[in-house]
Amino acid sequence: MKDLVRLKTSLKEEVEHILNEQVKLEALSSSRYLAMAAWCDRNGFDNSANFFYEQAEEERTHMLKFFKYIADMGGRAVSPEVTNIKLEFDSFREIFELALEHEVQVSQAIHRIVDACRKHQDYTTENFLQWFLTEQMEEEYIARRALELFDVIGEEGVGRFMIDQQVTKINYEKPA
Ligand code: FEO
């Protein structure tokens, strides 16, 4: 029976496994951003809360893209379990530091999937991943710019209020 299931997909076992790991990581991203949104909401940073609510939604879309891809390829898509979400943060700045750190981690994870695709000559999945490589470039850019606001504006006085104002205005201009 196991072999029959395997015959239905051209995904190699290692690629399928690592894609399911990515499903988990994207689900984790969504939950982490949701926790950050809630913290910002509780602490009066309304724009940042909206920023993270949107990020959480986007990450869920990423998760579904991976999930659907595995299923569409005849693979076994595994519904992810997400646990140990950090709910409290020491500061407004810490949230943005963690967000950038997380996006870098996601980019590295996608690079590792590309490596696995090349190893198994899985050009279809490698092609599927192109969209994510571009997306990560954009996400890392936004997270980096957001964190830079803390140094550019400073946190003294109305600083944090100003940072919160600017966060949703960050725009990534795609290279022509
Ligand atoms: Fe889908 Fe921002 O990683």
Side-chain angles (χ1 to χ4, degrees):
M1 199 58 197
K2 193 169 182 278
D3 287 344
L4 268 180
V5 170
R6 182 52 40 197
L7 278 175
K8 286 191 203 157
T9 179
S10 59
L11 285 178
K12 294 288 188 302
E13 220 162 308
E14 187 188 350
V15 174
E16 185 189 88
H17 173 75
I18 200 168
L19 284 171
N20 271 313
E21 288 299 303
Q22 193 62 28
V23 166
K24 235 188 267 176
L25 188 57
E26 300 289 348
L28 180 70
S29 309
S30 183
S31 295
R32 279 184 179 170
Y33 285 143
L34 205 53
M36 290 173 177
W39 188 94
C40 289
D41 229 337
R42 280 200 306 278
N43 288 279
F45 301 113
D46 287 358
N47 293 307
S48 301
N50 287 336
F51 173 82
F52 285 114
Y53 280 126
E54 268 176 38
Q55 288 297 117
E57 199 59 31
E58 254 187 54
E59 299 302 349
R60 184 175 157 75
T61 311
H62 296 171
M63 188 265 286
L64 284 173
K65 265 185 201 268
F66 277 107
F67 195 88
K68 278 275 291 161
Y69 176 77
I70 300 166
D72 289 348
M73 291 293 285
R76 187 170 183 269
V78 181
S79 183
E81 208 170 308
V82 178
T83 51
N84 293 326
I85 299 299
K86 182 175 165 65
L87 302 176
E88 291 302 331
F89 303 90
D90 292 337
S91 65
F92 187 35
R93 184 187 177 115
E94 189 198 10
I95 288 196
F96 288 92
E97 283 170 350
L98 291 174
L100 176 58
E101 205 175 284
H102 185 71
E103 288 304 333
V104 171
Q105 187 194 343
V106 171
S107 299
Q108 288 168 347
I110 290 171
H111 293 166
R112 280 195 296 276
I113 313 177
V114 175
D115 285 345
C117 289
R118 292 195 177 167
K119 180 176 148 198
H120 292 288
Q121 299 179 319
D122 183 345
Y123 306 118
T124 311
T125 305
E126 187 176 340
N127 182 53
F128 163 76
L129 291 169
Q130 292 307 308
W131 183 89
F132 285 96
L133 292 173
T134 312
E135 177 73 6
Q136 274 315 116
M137 207 175 117
E138 184 175 332
E139 299 229 316
E140 265 190 47
Y141 173 89
I142 292 172
R144 202 170 292 115
R145 297 297 288 184
L147 184 57
E148 279 167 10
L149 290 175
F150 286 81
D151 292 328
V152 172
I153 298 175
E155 292 185 69
E156 300 308 312
V158 291
R160 280 191 283 270
F161 173 79
M162 296 293 290
I163 292 166
D164 187 51
Q165 295 288 308
Q166 294 302 316
V167 155
T168 44
K169 294 184 187 149
I170 300 166
N171 218 344
Y172 177 73
E173 297 276 344
K174 283 195 170 61

